[in-house]
Amino acid sequence: MTVKLSSSNLAKLPAKVAGPKYDRAALKPGIVHFGVGNFHRSHQAVYLDDLFNSGIGHDWALVGAGVFEGEKIGRGKLAEQDWLTTVVEQDSGHMSARVTGAMIDFLMPGDAAGIIERLADPAIKIVSLTITEGGYFIDPASGVFNPTHPDIVADAQPSATPKTVFGIILAGLVRRRDDGVVPFTVMSCDNIPHNGHVTSDGVIGLARLIDEDLANWVSEHVAFPNGMVDRITPATTDRERGILASEFGLEDNWPVFCEPFRQWVLEDHFTDGRPPLEKVGVQFVRDVAPYELMKIRILNGGHATIAYPAGLMDIHFVHEAMQEPLVSSFLAKLEREEIIPTVPPVPDTVLEDYYQLIESRFSNPKIGDTVRRLCLDGSNRQPKFIIPTIADRLKAGKGVAGLALESALWCRYCFGTTDSGAVIEPNDPSWDRLQATAKAAKDAPTAWLAMEDIYGDVGRATAFVEAFAHALNVLWANGARATLTRYLAGAL
């Protein structure tokens, strides 16, 4: 017998499932969040739930928002259970479930007028974002905001109804300015280097297309704190729903499964107050950059390192990839020889200890994270997680054999077949382009590096070009297993 998740059933939760210790009816909205996906619900929403459980911060509840038609599906699932989410933490010796209630409303995705109306409400003091790396209109090669993107150009037209996150945020800020209301803080919770600056560039860049005075006002009056977020959180499938029902006796339309580890490092830079999240483990620091660079290079770069060889070997789960000695040894060698040496010192952190923690987290057999998820969206992820490391190595005159192999493995993956000949289904917003370029690169490796928007100057650096071409040729001649074996033996 299972219990269906809903507000009316909170008092009937199964004994093994923890529930909110606060009165959700007494919560008041303080944060509008764009991008109500799994990561947000395993991270920011959990920190707020912890805060509310401690008896404080009850005027900082979450209101969901979104701009895409597809987000209505998730909203519908959550609406059926009164915006509640079950979060299941798992590792090899531990599994626990809790119901979180920090979200109290979810505005209809795409309803610009309704969302702007809520953003104008003085009670809303923070607008936060998890819109993925691809949602910031960044030119991949330069890493800066692209004001010529058609969606941005459309939002800048006079009397346009905004359709982008930045357009809606800007419209909300304009309403507050006109109403004499203190502007809200805009807080990115995405895995992007300098995510606060990137968000600022997007909002101010759009404002500049509309009105220079507006751009200057946003620049002077709106806070965009940088932050580093971390928690491995795979997508939800019927597998997760089944485990929750069978192990805990609870039915949830959209539960979240994640690892026990979580981290949030945030600059204390807010225009109109913030919840006291330091009481529940958030680290407020003057400069997030060292933590951010460590995480993006060692963890996110590490994910990219294991993703593509595992994908080519037909390995399904991430923990299975870590059980393959060729993959785990490739990760260890590349991290220690080429990635970690590019990471400057981080306060109160030993980088080798951090790497070993990452290795342990990747090996978690319970989390169910998939290799395909790690392979997703390389056209946006590689320019953020791998290519800057290559650039730093080249600038220092250091070797890039391992990083070139990682890039060659990505190229080989985008060809669209594994080493066994199995078809790799499209796994990138730019898949058609990547696949066509990967096919051209089979005979002419430099075709891959000629993607200027992704590789920039790195794609023209002789040392990298030669190492990449060699690695790709060896991959095509011998396959991923033999190529990794040669690399690990120092014979690539």
Side-chain angles (χ1 to χ4, degrees):
M1 191 71 179
T2 58
V3 174
K4 181 78 176 82
L5 183 59
S6 69
S7 287
S8 59
N9 282 338
L10 281 177
K12 307 172 193 172
L13 289 177
K16 292 197 294 183
V17 180
K21 300 174 185 175
Y22 48 90
D23 177 8
R24 291 183 74 229
L27 296 179
K28 296 177 181 177
I31 302 172
V32 169
H33 182 82
F34 286 90
V36 184
N38 278 22
F39 181 76
H40 163 71
R41 294 181 301 132
S42 79
H43 193 265
Q44 182 185 357
V46 169
Y47 280 103
L48 287 166
D49 190 65
D50 282 347
L51 189 67
F52 300 165
N53 277 333
S54 74
I56 55 177
H58 291 177
D59 54 351
W60 289 101
L62 287 158
V63 175
V67 297
F68 298 114
E69 188 72 21
E71 292 177 275
K72 292 180 180 177
I73 297 171
R75 182 188 183 277
K77 291 176 179 178
L78 293 175
E80 289 181 18
Q81 53 202 46
D82 305 309
W83 321 121
L84 295 165
T85 289
T86 311
V87 178
V88 180
E89 297 181 2
Q90 284 189 304
D91 62 18
S92 55
H94 163 83
M95 182 163 67
S96 63
R98 63 188 282 188
V99 172
T100 63
M103 177 175 286
I104 60 172
D105 195 6
F106 193 156
L107 305 172
M108 187 59 71
D111 176 14
I115 298 171
I116 292 165
E117 191 66 32
R118 183 59 71 96
L119 296 183
D121 181 353
I124 300 302
K125 299 177 185 302
I126 295 174
V127 173
S128 53
L129 314 169
T130 46
I131 55 175
T132 75
E133 297 90 347
Y136 287 80
F137 303 98
I138 304 166
D139 175 69
S142 66
V144 300
F145 174 67
N146 176 15
T148 65
H149 191 285
D151 292 350
I152 293 296
V153 172
D155 271 8
Q157 299 310 303
S159 305
T161 298
K163 291 184 168 55
T164 69
V165 170
F166 293 160
I168 291 174
I169 286 174
L170 187 60
L173 287 168
V174 168
R175 279 280 303 274
R176 291 173 81 110
R177 182 190 65 171
D178 294 347
D179 293 346
V181 176
V182 176
F184 46 72
T185 295
V186 184
M187 181 177 73
S188 172
C189 300
D190 274 301
N191 273 318
I192 296 176
H194 318 298
N195 56 12
H197 295 318
V198 168
T199 310
S200 169
D201 287 347
V203 176
I204 295 171
L206 174 58
R208 188 157 282 122
L209 296 178
I210 298 169
D211 176 20
E212 191 70 31
D213 288 341
L214 174 60
N216 292 335
W217 179 85
V218 173
S219 180
E220 291 171 14
H221 293 92
V222 182
F224 296 86
N226 291 299
M228 183 268 262
V229 296
D230 191 6
R231 190 172 216 185
I232 295 173
T233 309
T236 301
T237 67
D238 287 340
R239 169 186 179 271
E240 284 73 35
R241 280 182 278 269
I243 291 172
L244 181 62
S246 63
E247 296 288 329
F248 292 95
L250 187 62
E251 291 181 48
D252 185 328
N253 292 322
W254 196 16
V256 174
F257 279 55
C258 55
E259 62 175 339
F261 178 89
R262 57 184 152 115
Q263 187 176 19
W264 192 0
V265 185
L266 191 56
E267 288 174 355
D268 201 352
H269 179 43
F270 293 80
T271 53
D272 195 18
R274 62 166 176 80
L277 291 165
E278 67 275 11
K279 296 183 182 297
V280 289
V282 176
Q283 298 167 256
F284 284 97
V285 299
R286 184 183 300 272
D287 183 12
V288 170
Y291 301 89
E292 183 182 72
L293 188 67
M294 172 183 72
K295 189 258 178 176
I296 282 172
R297 295 206 173 178
I298 299 177
L299 185 143
N300 297 112
H303 265 158
T305 299
I306 64 176
Y308 300 109
L312 292 172
M313 294 179 192
D314 301 290
I315 298 172
H316 183 70
F317 287 114
V318 175
H319 70 272
E320 294 172 339
M322 293 299 290
Q323 290 166 359
E324 165 55 62
L326 288 172
V327 175
S328 56
S329 297
F330 176 46
L331 173 68
K333 180 177 172 69
L334 180 53
E335 288 272 15
R336 291 194 171 107
E337 293 185 0
E338 296 183 27
I339 295 177
I340 294 173
T342 72
V343 179
V346 179
D348 305 316
T349 304
V350 177
L351 293 180
E352 174 61 25
D353 292 349
Y354 181 79
Y355 167 68
Q356 289 184 17
L357 173 64
I358 296 302
E359 205 172 52
S360 172
R361 292 168 62 196
F362 287 1
S363 303
N364 185 344
K366 294 288 188 179
I367 198 64
D369 202 4
T370 64
V371 168
R372 181 172 172 81
R373 184 187 80 87
L374 301 195
C375 292
L376 173 69
D377 204 13
S379 62
N380 276 303
R381 293 179 174 182
Q382 290 279 314
K384 298 173 181 68
F385 303 153
I386 291 291
I387 294 170
T389 307
I390 299 171
D392 281 357
R393 294 283 296 177
L394 293 170
K395 188 176 179 180
K398 304 292 187 181
V400 290
L403 289 162
L405 175 55
E406 188 280 337
S407 212
L409 286 159
W410 176 44
C411 173
R412 171 65 186 85
Y413 176 89
C414 291
F415 186 88
T417 58
T418 69
D419 278 351
S420 72
V423 173
I424 298 171
E425 296 298 328
N427 201 20
D428 193 287
S430 301
W431 185 258
D432 290 346
R433 174 205 184 193
L434 293 177
Q435 188 170 37
T437 308
K439 288 180 176 179
K442 182 178 181 182
D443 297 317
T446 54
W448 186 256
L449 304 183
M451 292 190 290
E452 180 79 20
D453 57 319
I454 292 175
Y455 282 96
D457 291 342
V458 163
R460 294 184 291 271
T462 302
F464 180 68
V465 171
E466 291 176 353
F468 171 86
H470 176 67
L472 187 61
N473 288 334
V474 174
L475 271 173
W476 274 116
N478 302 283
R481 288 184 178 278
T483 304
L484 289 179
T485 299
R486 286 175 61 170
Y487 168 75
L488 294 170
L492 182 61

